[in-house]
């Protein structure tokens, strides 16, 4: 767990206790609010080892996140993407098994790619679903500057150690008119 000394956004060092919870019933999380900007975040922040183990538990049988609902979600998202432009390239950061991506590719002219930290989920996406998923994090993607038309990062940014740096990296791989969800 990494102690946060200053707000990632406004750099204030004053925090107010907000709430507490348990992550996977074992790790106690303390949420604080920054009175300077209103950001609520976990302090201390769980390390990637804890995030990895929590996500690995979700991916044990590759059906735990709701296979049909993930595919349906991708199909519905395809309609949103078509309103942005007829075709493009999407990156889903934290894409799990890639089922959402498969729904997009099957129902639009968009190329859907992903990046995921769980190796077994990456293998399932690439080998079974035949969608392009890279193993790693946003930082591990290379040669992608101004490449993507749309980035999706559902349930991701709350796990990131430095959200400002993460968003700067995300912005760098978007093309000029790219969008982020």
């Amino acid at each position: 767990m990494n102690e946060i000394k200053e707000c990632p956004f406004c750099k204030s060092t004053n925090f107010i206790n907000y709430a507490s919870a348990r992550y996977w019933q074992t790790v106690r999380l303390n949420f604080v609010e920054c009175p300077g900007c209103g950001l609520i975040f976990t302090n201390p922040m769980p390390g990637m080892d804890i995030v990895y183990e929590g996500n690995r538990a979700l991916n044990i049988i590759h059906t735990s996140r709701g296979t049909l609902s993930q595919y349906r979600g991708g199909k519905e998202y395809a309609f949103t993407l078509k309103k942005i432009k007829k075709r493009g390239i999407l990156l889903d950061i934290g894409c799990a098994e890639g089922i959402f991506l498969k729904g997009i590719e099957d129902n639009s002219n968009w190329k859907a790619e992903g990046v995921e930290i769980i190796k077994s989920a990456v293998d399932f996406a690439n080998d079974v679903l035949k969608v392009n998923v890279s193993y790693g994090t946003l930082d591990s993607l290379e040669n992608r500057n101004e490449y993507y038309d749309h980035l999706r990062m559902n349930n991701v940014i709350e796990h990131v150690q430095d959200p400002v740096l993460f968003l700067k990296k995300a912005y760098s791989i978007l093309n000029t008119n790219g969008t982020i969800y």
Side-chain angles (χ1 to χ4, degrees):
M1 303 276 273
N2 302 317
E3 186 74 28
I4 308 293
K5 302 279 189 217
E6 62 181 28
C7 174
F9 292 114
C10 76
K11 306 301 181 196
S12 171
T13 57
N14 183 28
F15 309 129
I16 301 166
N17 287 330
Y18 186 81
S20 65
R22 291 212 176 271
Y23 187 63
W24 295 106
Q25 310 243 334
T26 58
V27 179
R28 182 176 167 81
L29 299 178
N30 295 306
F31 294 89
V32 296
E33 181 177 5
C34 173
C37 67
L39 179 68
I40 297 170
F41 58 95
T42 307
N43 197 14
M45 175 72 80
M48 281 304 294
D49 57 331
I50 294 170
V51 173
Y52 173 83
E53 282 304 313
N55 280 287
R56 190 183 62 75
L58 284 175
N59 287 295
I60 288 173
I61 57 172
H62 301 295
T63 59
S64 58
R65 295 191 189 191
T67 303
L68 184 58
S69 66
Q70 284 292 310
Y71 183 84
R72 223 182 263 146
K75 182 177 180 179
E76 291 169 5
Y77 205 75
F79 290 105
T80 300
L81 292 171
K82 290 179 204 176
K83 291 177 184 176
I84 295 170
K85 59 194 289 190
K86 286 189 177 218
R87 66 182 67 235
I89 305 172
L90 168 136
L91 176 66
D92 189 6
I93 303 165
C95 67
E97 300 92 343
I99 298 165
F100 184 86
L101 299 173
K102 182 72 172 156
I104 290 170
E105 285 196 342
D106 286 353
N107 295 282
S108 73
N109 290 320
W110 278 69
K111 180 180 175 188
E113 298 180 3
V115 62
E116 173 59 48
I117 63 171
I118 306 301
K119 182 73 168 99
S120 62
V122 172
D123 293 342
F124 181 85
N126 290 319
D127 300 340
V128 177
L129 298 180
K130 307 297 184 206
V131 294
N132 183 12
V133 174
S134 299
Y135 174 63
T137 64
L138 182 61
D139 285 331
S140 63
L141 297 177
E142 296 180 357
N143 303 317
R144 307 285 172 89
N145 285 351
E146 299 183 15
Y147 181 76
Y148 294 102
D149 298 293
H150 187 76
L151 300 181
R152 178 180 181 264
M153 51 183 91
N154 194 43
N155 295 322
V156 169
I157 201 159
E158 65 270 22
H159 301 291
V160 174
Q161 300 292 316
D162 187 338
V164 172
L165 187 62
F166 178 83
L167 289 171
K168 284 179 181 177
K169 171 68 176 181
Y171 182 75
S172 76
I173 64 174
L174 277 176
N175 65 32
T176 304
N177 295 314
T179 55
I180 296 178
Y181 171 81

